[in-house]
Amino acid sequence: MLRKLLIGTALATSFAFSAHAADVKEVQMLHWWTSGGEAAALNVLKQDLAKEGYAWKDVPVAGGGGDAAMTALKAMVAAGNYPTASQMLGYTVLDYAAAGVMGDLTETAKKEGWDKSVPAALQKFSVYDGKWVAAPVNVHSVNWLWINKAVMDKIGGTEPKTLDDFVALLDKAKAAGVTPLALGGQNWQEATMFDSVVLSTGGPEFYKKAMNDLDEASLKSDTMKKSFDNLAKLVTYVDPNFSGRDWNLATAMVIKGDALVQVMGDWAKGEFHAANKTPGTDFLCYRFPGTDGSVIYNSDMFGMFNVPDDRKAAQVALATATLSKSFQSAFNVVKGSVPARTDVPDTDFDACGKKGIADLKKANDGGTLFGSLAQGYGAPPAVANAYKDVVSKFVHGQIKTSDEAVTELVKAIDDAK
Ligand code: BGC
């Protein structure tokens, strides 16, 4: 599949160099949006661009969290076959920008006033050396619980406000014979859940010091050990078949009522939306216990490559469509995320989306908005990968104690830096 794509791109690129070639009316996009909810969201963009006469050349690389997609992208870029754009997370954008392969959307950004409408936290990753190199699509947040309402009613559960409450709730589900916690045993899913556990265990300042500043004393502290112990406790509520399960299959367990809850970023809500489920009636969204008031975020960005001149008009059309207010609303309603602009009304969003928008604003104003380490916004990819690896080894028993886990974490992060 990748080979075919590379050949296709190589042809397109060689035609592109012919003098005065007409603009290529096509957008080639690499992404990992392959679940039902994700595909539905992507359709919103495909349709918007089709209206403007642009064909869509899809380069999907399955695998939540994007690790497989980023490996495929690396190969394409190394071969000089740049897509028009690629889905990317924070620090990856900066890496490609530093490598000098990104385009420059600054003129469009100026015309469209992105400086004013895109939050500063995102501009840190979409602007490099004073130039706009990426178009932010959304803001996702990882510290959420997604709960099946009928199961919750059946077990007489209420919103867990602390980790102890959460454990008591999981016990109730277990006693009722329902899988308490739906988890996919893949490193990025485990680490995404652990982001929330660290925030809940140590509080906002600790999260920032450990997971964004990579402060060594924090990484090996008793609080970090306690975080690993809390993670170990949660993992006792997972069903025996969790290893390797895709995130959207874990979400489906909650949608169907086979499990009570999933801890996952709000892309999970895209799956509920695609299944025609309504918050408050069919499912509940709560902040991960003990993290209310803080938001751990990531943002999907379309990293814009330095494509040949005859592909630049398509790239500008893509960037303009992505940051238009109407698209930011329509897309994010379906995706489960919230807009990457501060001036988009929440009118069309469901109750969870409205809460997401309000929480983001509050966290941004109050200094409690933090980048997700699991999701590419805490540290560069090598460090994030080291983190995911240690967390996963702990979950799967290759690292046996929380003492050992913090030692391995400090070592792995040091090696990766
Ligand atoms: C992306 C989401 C995506 C999720 C699962 C995350 O890294 O930010 O857009 O839905 O992975 O594929």
Side-chain angles (χ1 to χ4, degrees):
M1 155 103 165
L2 182 62
R3 205 166 149 253
K4 248 200 229 150
L5 285 170
L6 290 176
I7 293 167
T9 317
L11 284 177
T13 313
S14 60
F15 282 126
F17 285 119
S18 58
H20 309 298
D23 283 341
V24 179
K25 300 286 276 179
E26 174 193 276
V27 165
Q28 186 191 36
M29 168 79 75
L30 189 146
H31 63 88
W32 61 93
W33 285 333
T34 55
S35 78
E38 292 172 332
L42 194 58
N43 263 334
V44 177
L45 181 59
K46 288 184 193 170
Q47 282 161 11
D48 277 6
L49 285 165
K51 275 187 223 140
E52 293 181 44
Y54 288 97
W56 184 264
K57 188 157 174 215
D58 210 27
V59 190
V61 184
D67 289 338
M70 290 303 95
T71 305
L73 178 65
K74 213 172 176 179
M76 284 179 77
V77 172
N81 300 323
Y82 303 167
T84 315
S86 171
Q87 181 187 359
M88 285 182 190
L89 300 172
Y91 279 93
T92 305
V93 178
L94 301 182
D95 271 6
Y96 277 107
V101 295
M102 301 310 270
D104 181 2
L105 272 294
T106 309
E107 208 179 296
T108 311
K110 276 206 179 119
K111 210 166 81 204
E112 303 277 333
W114 295 352
D115 290 20
K116 282 168 225 89
S117 55
V118 174
L122 303 193
Q123 289 192 39
K124 254 177 60 192
F125 296 97
S126 52
V127 178
Y128 181 82
D129 214 6
K131 292 181 188 140
W132 280 83
V133 295
V137 190
N138 58 15
V139 184
H140 272 303
S141 147
V142 309
N143 54 318
W144 287 108
L145 300 183
W146 305 97
I147 293 184
N148 180 293
K149 170 86 162 50
V151 176
M152 189 73 157
D153 290 346
K154 185 173 140 200
I155 64 173
T158 51
E159 178 177 357
K161 290 289 194 184
T162 63
L163 273 174
D164 285 346
D165 292 352
F166 192 33
V167 166
L169 181 67
L170 294 168
D171 275 330
K172 279 187 178 205
K174 193 171 169 187
V178 180
T179 297
L181 184 59
L183 176 66
Q186 298 172 344
N187 70 1
W188 74 272
Q189 292 185 60
E190 294 150 353
T192 299
M193 179 160 95
F194 191 54
D195 278 358
S196 295
V197 175
V198 173
L199 174 61
S200 177
T201 307
E205 267 174 41
F206 179 79
Y207 181 91
K208 182 178 176 297
K209 271 178 104 174
M211 311 289 268
N212 291 168
D213 303 342
L214 306 177
D215 168 57
E216 192 166 317
S218 306
L219 288 170
K220 60 181 183 208
S221 65
D222 286 346
T223 308
M224 192 54 106
K225 278 183 212 163
K226 183 92 183 60
S227 303
F228 275 105
D229 289 334
N230 286 335
L231 176 65
K233 178 73 188 165
L234 294 185
V235 171
T236 63
Y237 293 97
V238 165
D239 67 300
N241 301 321
F242 84 110
S243 280
R245 176 186 289 139
D246 287 335
W247 69 271
N248 53 318
L249 299 182
T251 312
M253 290 168 68
V254 178
I255 293 176
K256 285 192 232 143
D258 294 340
L260 170 69
V261 56
Q262 181 184 23
V263 180
M264 190 38 70
D266 41 19
W267 46 90
K269 204 195 72 189
E271 300 304 299
F272 285 95
H273 188 272
N276 287 319
K277 303 294 183 192
T278 310
T281 311
D282 304 310
F283 70 99
L284 305 163
C285 55
Y286 297 137
R287 284 294 168 187
F288 186 90
T291 70
D292 211 4
S294 297
V295 169
I296 308 179
Y297 81 98
N298 76 332
S299 160
D300 292 302
M301 304 220 168
F302 291 154
M304 302 288 178
F305 283 91
N306 188 13
V307 288
D309 284 351
D310 61 351
R311 289 187 163 264
K312 288 204 160 87
Q315 192 174 58
V316 168
L318 168 68
T320 308
T322 301
L323 271 154
S324 82
K325 279 165 103 172
S326 58
F327 171 80
Q328 285 283 325
S329 178
F331 175 90
N332 287 307
V333 160
V334 180
K335 184 71 174 67
S337 36
V338 305
R341 303 178 53 125
T342 50
D343 54 357
V344 178
D346 72 0
T347 330
D348 291 343
F349 288 80
D350 64 21
C352 302
K354 285 189 167 67
K355 177 169 167 54
I357 292 172
D359 285 356
L360 176 63
K361 186 174 177 337
K362 222 167 72 197
N364 192 30
D365 294 347
T368 52
L369 176 64
F370 306 112
S372 161
L373 183 52
Q375 289 289 327
Y377 279 81
V383 172
N385 288 338
Y387 164 68
K388 288 188 269 192
D389 189 48
V390 170
V391 171
S392 193
K393 282 188 174 139
F394 180 74
V395 168
H396 294 271
Q398 288 138 281
I399 293 175
K400 298 214 166 4
T401 63
S402 54
D403 263 323
E404 204 188 318
V406 297
T407 307
E408 290 297 321
L409 184 63
V410 168
K411 186 173 168 301
I413 288 183
D414 253 5
D415 289 351
K417 268 197 214 156

